Amino acid sequence: MKTNLLNIPGVATLSRESQSKIKGQAGVDLSLCGCSCSGSVTGPAYCSWYLACPDVYTCEETF
C-alpha cells in the first residue's frame, strides 16, 4: 500500500520532525447550529458537542 502511494505524482514522505511541525485543525461553523421548536439541536453532527438547547423550547406560530 505504501509503495502505491509513493507512486502518485507530488507525494512526498515526511520525516517525524516535519510531521511534528504541522499544525492545524478542522474548522467548525457554529452558525450552522441551532435549536428546533421541540428543543433538539439542529445542524451538523458536531453541533451537539458545542450547543445545548433547553428541554422545553417554544416557537411563535404565525398564521
Side-chain angles (χ1 to χ4, degrees):
M1 179 74 169
K2 183 178 178 181
T3 57
N4 291 338
L5 290 175
L6 295 177
N7 292 333
I8 298 173
V11 172
T13 305
L14 297 176
S15 66
R16 285 190 183 267
E17 184 180 331
S18 296
Q19 291 177 21
S20 66
K21 292 180 182 178
I22 297 174
K23 295 182 181 178
Q25 66 183 25
V28 293
D29 186 0
L30 296 179
S31 68
L32 300 175
C33 304
C35 294
S36 69
C37 292
S38 64
S40 60
V41 177
T42 60
Y46 60 79
C47 290
S48 59
W49 302 334
Y50 296 100
L51 181 70
C53 296
D55 291 336
V56 179
Y57 188 81
T58 57
C59 299
E60 293 182 31
E61 293 183 22
T62 56
F63 297 96

